């Protein structure tokens, strides 16, 4: 005779309190992944937050390194062309309307407080998405020939070699920032994307970031 399945353990009062405060829609994927066991589902939910936090630190390092490397190449582009304006202010730089709007908003945020605005503050206010879309294929023949120099250790100068992993990492970062589930994603592959893009820019920096990364340890503890 087939054995009778054991009932799922009842969640503790603390677990019940958390589950009650989560929306049914948010908790449903975790519950489905753990065959309706609320305790196991909540363990997966907690692990999802832990692995998201483990990714967020090296993603932050990547964002800073990426934007500074790309900004340097765009500054050199201006210098080579004899342009005195900052690249983000120069109407001759072929930026999309969306990019121009992002720059205006970044300047507004940087100018809060009324003090003089250093260019570095404006650059820092431009989000990861801004830099990701400067690697879009619409810039293949305009900006990419210069931006390729920001990735001197990439295996080739093909735009897709850089754009594809940066696009995937941008999506991952957005999911983390909005507290969405990432447990069902190929996280080892995203870890590799992160390391590869940093290596394309500066292998020593990639080694430094990897040396403090908690990603592998957290992946190994997946419930």
């Amino acid at each position: 005779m087939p054995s009778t399945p054991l009932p799922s353990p009842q969640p503790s009062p603390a677990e019940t309190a958390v589950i009650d405060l989560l929306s049914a829609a948010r908790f449903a994927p975790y519950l489905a992944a753990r065959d309706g066991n609320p305790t196991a589902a909540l363990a997966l939910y907690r692990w999802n937050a832990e692995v998201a936090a483990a990714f967020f630190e090296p993603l932050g390092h990547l964002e800073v390194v990426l934007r500074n490397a790309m900004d340097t190449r765009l500054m050199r582009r201006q210098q080579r062309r004899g342009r005195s304006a900052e690249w983000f202010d120069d109407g001759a730089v072929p930026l999309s309307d969306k990019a121009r709007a992002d720059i205006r908003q970044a300047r507004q945020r940087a100018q809060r407080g009324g003090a003089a605005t250093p260019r570095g503050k404006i650059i820092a206010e431009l989000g990861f998405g801004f830099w990701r879309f400067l690697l879009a294929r619409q810039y293949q023949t305009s900006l990419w020939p210069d931006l390729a120099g920001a990735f001197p250790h990439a295996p080739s100068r093909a735009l897709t070699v850089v754009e594809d992993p940066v696009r995937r990492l941008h999506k991952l970062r957005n999911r983390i920032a909005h507290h969405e589930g990432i447990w069902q994603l190929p996280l080892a592959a995203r870890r590799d994307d992160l390391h590869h893009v940093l290596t394309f820019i500066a292998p020593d920096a990639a080694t430094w970031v990897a040396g403090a990364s908690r990603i592998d340890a957290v992946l190994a503890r997946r419930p």
Side-chain angles (χ1 to χ4, degrees):
M1 293 179 61
S3 59
T4 302
L6 295 174
S8 297
Q10 292 302 305
S12 69
E15 291 169 337
T16 299
V18 174
I19 292 169
D20 287 347
L21 290 168
L22 297 175
S23 68
R26 174 176 287 273
F27 197 51
Y30 299 92
L31 206 55
R34 290 298 179 261
D35 299 321
N37 182 324
T39 296
L42 195 60
L44 181 59
Y45 183 83
R46 169 174 272 174
W47 180 84
N48 181 82
E50 188 178 3
V51 77
F55 265 98
F56 205 70
E57 181 180 352
L59 280 168
H61 292 314
L62 171 65
E63 182 173 349
V64 171
V65 168
L66 180 71
R67 76 187 182 206
N68 288 342
M70 293 175 67
D71 176 44
T72 296
R73 296 305 304 180
L74 291 170
M75 284 193 293
R76 291 180 182 175
R77 183 181 190 273
Q78 289 294 90
Q79 292 166 359
R80 193 177 67 255
R81 291 170 178 247
R83 307 287 296 182
S84 58
E86 296 284 4
W87 63 265
F88 47 82
D89 289 331
D90 192 344
V93 177
L95 297 172
S96 69
D97 291 343
K98 175 63 167 64
R100 294 285 180 197
D102 287 345
I103 291 167
R104 286 194 297 273
Q105 292 170 7
R107 185 182 294 280
Q108 289 169 0
R109 290 191 296 269
Q111 288 175 339
R112 288 173 185 167
T117 308
R119 74 176 306 280
K121 195 169 182 181
I122 297 172
I123 295 298
E125 288 289 349
L126 292 168
F128 195 0
F130 176 85
W131 304 101
R132 173 261 178 275
F133 285 109
L134 283 191
L135 298 171
R137 294 171 202 191
Q138 73 184 90
Y139 297 116
Q140 174 103 38
T141 59
S142 54
L143 297 182
W144 175 245
D146 291 282
L147 289 175
F151 309 94
H153 303 280
S156 78
R157 289 178 65 88
L159 172 59
T160 54
V161 169
V162 175
E163 181 198 7
D164 289 348
V166 171
R167 172 175 47 80
R168 292 190 292 263
L169 291 168
H170 178 235
K171 288 183 178 180
L172 175 67
R173 183 194 177 281
N174 284 351
R175 291 191 69 86
I176 292 172
H178 290 94
H179 312 294
E180 297 179 16
I182 64 170
W183 56 271
Q184 71 279 49
L185 301 179
L187 295 177
R190 295 298 79 80
R191 172 206 60 204
D192 293 345
D193 281 341
L194 218 164
H195 184 72
H196 289 155
V197 176
L198 282 167
T199 300
F200 297 163
I201 299 169
D204 287 343
T207 299
W208 182 82
V209 172
S213 174
R214 297 181 293 116
I215 293 173
D216 285 345
V218 177
L219 288 178
R221 294 199 298 271
R222 179 173 180 143

